[in-house]
Amino acid sequence: MLTNFEYAKPITLTHAVQCLAEKEREVKILSGGTDLLVALRRKQVQPALVIDIKGLKELTALTYTPGQGLSIGAAVCVNRLAEADVVRQYFPALAAAARVLASYQLRNRATVGGNICNASPAADLVPPLLVYEGVLEVVSQRGSRRIPLQDFFTGVKQHVLERDELLQGVFLPDTTDATGATGATGATGATSATGMTNVTDVGGLYLKQGRLKGHDLSIIGLAARLNAAKQFRFAVAAAAPTPLRLFALEELLNAQPFTPALAELAAQAINLYIHPISDVRATAEYRRHMAAVFVRRAVSSLVTAGGKQDG
Amino acid sequence: MAKHVITCGINGAAISAEVDSGQTLLEFLRGELSLFGAKEGCGEGECGACTVMVNGRAVNSCLMLAVEADGCEVKTVEGLAQGGKLAILQEEFVQHDALQCGFCTPGMLMSARALLDRTSDPGEEEIKVAIAGNLCRCTGYLPIVSAIQAAAKREREETASE
């Protein structure tokens, strides 16, 4: 039996943020429960009230609007992302990360909002959400605000949310040009049947190193994306106190000619921008080594895909 | 401890029960319903011994509150055999010596059942991914993978002959 708490499952956002605004009692949000129930069991948290947010339709919706983007409710579970055709087609790095997060059972429960708000340095969904330039939608009784994901984390397990605020979801701008979305053939960078050049992303991927092939936290995770304008986007997990978008590495590569030599340049440069530590899962040196291996592999694969698109 | 009345399906039978807010689904299944198939190994979602199906999806019942099962259809290992006869999947586990101590078996079976419900012809890699959250410390995984493959084949043949 877990600690003694009251359980509420609001079905309106108004009621949910009202529960969160309680000042006298400690309140915890229950989404997938894969982190919260462990913390409750270990008595690391002892809330008086637990609010289950899975009854809120705004938080369980996964909606793609061509030309606009993908809106992911905070309570959408990881397997829904892994299985959704629009995610696999237009946000492949996110689908790839969703497929390797924890175990199959946990992916059926763990949610996007939980992975973000738990604020682990090793959160697998965050690097892809960063390379797709995600914006968080946050609500409270005081109103709502939008926070670019890159500004959300302040340290290990730390973020900018106030205690009365609820993460409603994350919005990813479309990876297709609004004018060309109908001719798109997918995220692989092929030319469409109509002969029109594809305006979707060239590609995106997520590379994860764990201690074993099955269920484990990342030793290092790298999301890489090459958009339709042949601009690279990179982000890493487990390589710094927070998941990190690598803006400086992007600038370095995006200023160079688009050739296979970019892979080696990225491999040599990435370690200037990450700050890994040694811990139970790996040494800092191994993380640095794998970051270089992964970015070389990712850039090489994306440059090849981009070259095919030109040819 | 706050009480909640939940209504859910357990292996096809509708039940209504009063649960504590701090009770896990696993504690409810074992403690209140005497369904002892699902086991508590780690209690933290690492080992998969507590795996059951909720609305057709394999989940760790140790990481789910009983009250969260309200309105859901829950299937446990006890729901696999019908009329005293083992299901094909269970028979193939026996045939392939896919268990020794048996502690992980109910969880393995439910992860496998959920897999075969979503794909009738899983490849070896798909099977490994499906049971990556189920730890076995004695049999080794090869007979388990073989058993699931054999069960998939028999189930396909059965469907084809119907």
Side-chain angles (χ1 to χ4, degrees):
Chain A
M1 187 73 68
L2 304 166
T3 55
N4 188 4
F5 54 80
E6 202 179 302
Y7 167 91
K9 188 174 182 181
I11 53 167
T12 66
L13 262 183
T14 313
H15 182 203
V17 294
Q18 186 190 340
C19 293
L20 271 177
E22 268 206 44
K23 289 196 174 62
E24 298 76 33
R25 300 191 293 171
E26 189 183 355
V27 183
K28 279 281 169 195
I29 296 170
L30 169 63
S31 191
T34 55
D35 288 310
L36 180 64
L37 264 73
V38 174
L40 285 169
R41 180 189 167 91
R42 293 179 181 172
K43 301 208 181 337
Q44 289 163 343
V45 292
Q46 297 191 314
L49 174 63
V50 167
I51 305 172
D52 187 344
I53 56 170
K54 293 188 290 297
L56 301 167
K57 62 180 188 309
E58 296 89 344
L59 274 71
T60 50
L62 179 65
T63 320
Y64 175 68
T65 313
Q68 291 187 26
L70 182 71
S71 182
I72 311 167
V76 167
C77 78
V78 178
N79 267 341
R80 259 180 85 193
L81 289 184
E83 292 163 9
D85 287 339
V86 291
V87 180
R88 295 158 67 117
Q89 190 171 2
Y90 298 118
F91 303 91
L94 181 58
R99 284 194 294 271
V100 296
L101 184 150
S103 68
Y104 186 80
Q105 293 98 310
L106 289 168
R107 293 196 286 275
N108 275 334
R109 296 288 296 168
T111 64
V112 177
N115 198 232
I116 295 170
C117 291
N118 193 47
S120 162
D124 281 314
L125 296 185
V126 174
L129 293 172
L130 284 169
V131 298
Y132 291 118
E133 294 167 336
V135 177
L136 304 181
E137 293 160 358
V138 173
V139 286
S140 73
Q141 268 195 326
R142 297 172 288 128
S144 62
R145 61 173 176 146
R146 293 163 71 87
I147 308 169
L149 182 57
Q150 71 216 30
D151 300 333
F152 183 72
F153 304 104
T154 54
V156 177
K157 302 248 168 187
Q158 303 288 318
H159 54 64
V160 299
L161 284 193
E162 304 287 339
R163 56 169 287 171
D164 66 336
E165 287 184 311
L166 175 67
L167 176 62
Q168 185 176 329
V170 51
F171 177 79
L172 306 181
D174 203 357
T175 55
T176 65
D177 178 349
T179 55
T182 43
T185 52
T188 49
T191 300
S192 74
T194 58
M196 189 172 71
T197 302
N198 194 345
V199 291
T200 62
D201 269 19
V202 173
L205 35 90
Y206 184 69
L207 301 174
K208 168 174 174 165
Q209 182 74 10
R211 285 169 299 184
L212 41 84
K213 215 170 144 195
H215 168 197
D216 196 16
L217 291 178
S218 284
I219 284 173
I220 191 141
L222 173 86
R225 171 192 176 198
L226 186 61
N227 70 13
K230 302 265 177 68
Q231 299 285 299
F232 284 98
R233 300 281 182 268
F234 299 107
V236 283
T242 71
L244 212 56
R245 170 107 178 253
L246 302 177
F247 289 102
L249 182 65
E250 294 170 8
E251 275 174 36
L252 180 73
L253 262 66
N254 293 337
Q256 300 289 320
F258 189 75
T259 70
L262 289 179
E264 197 49 45
L265 177 65
Q268 284 175 16
I270 191 168
N271 275 296
L272 298 173
Y273 311 117
I274 62 174
H275 320 282
I277 58 165
S278 296
D279 66 10
V280 61
R281 274 177 284 279
T283 60
E285 289 76 11
Y286 183 66
R287 288 192 158 97
R288 288 189 174 282
H289 175 74
M290 284 313 297
V293 168
F294 276 174
V295 81
R296 182 187 293 117
R297 199 178 290 169
V299 171
S300 177
S301 151
L302 291 173
V303 167
T304 304
K308 279 193 190 131
Q309 196 178 40
D310 293 338
Chain B
M1 185 75 65
K3 300 272 188 188
H4 298 268
V5 174
I6 64 166
T7 305
C8 57
I10 303 284
N11 296 325
I15 65 142
S16 192
E18 193 177 64
V19 300
D20 288 318
S21 53
Q23 195 171 25
T24 65
L25 176 59
L26 178 62
E27 288 167 337
F28 176 65
L29 293 172
R30 294 178 59 89
E32 308 295 326
L33 303 182
S34 298
L35 294 170
F36 298 117
K39 305 283 189 288
E40 178 165 298
C42 65
E44 300 193 345
E46 299 285 342
C47 76
C50 66
T51 303
V52 301
M53 286 163 68
V54 175
N55 293 341
R57 296 280 205 166
V59 302
N60 298 108
S61 62
C62 73
L63 289 187
M64 182 169 168
L65 298 176
V67 63
E68 291 183 89
D70 188 31
C72 293
E73 185 59 43
V74 179
K75 189 168 184 173
T76 70
V77 71
E78 288 87 351
L80 292 182
Q82 294 296 323
K85 187 179 182 311
L86 291 182
I88 289 173
L89 190 57
Q90 292 169 307
E91 285 182 353
E92 291 303 326
F93 266 61
V94 174
Q95 280 298 317
H96 287 80
D97 295 323
L99 59 150
Q100 284 184 35
C101 86
F103 192 88
C104 73
T105 309
M108 284 286 181
L109 285 166
M110 298 319 286
S111 282
R113 182 67 265 151
L115 171 69
L116 298 185
D117 283 355
R118 61 183 184 270
T119 170
S120 61
D121 191 7
E124 186 179 328
E125 193 57 31
E126 257 178 297
I127 294 174
K128 287 179 179 173
V129 168
I131 62 170
N134 295 85
L135 300 184
C136 168
R137 298 289 84 157
C138 51
T139 308
Y141 299 97
L142 295 180
I144 295 172
V145 173
S146 302
I148 296 170
Q149 277 174 321
K153 183 161 178 285
R154 268 183 68 194
E155 287 187 4
R156 288 197 305 278
E157 287 164 0
E158 199 153 281
T159 310
S161 67
E162 270 170 11

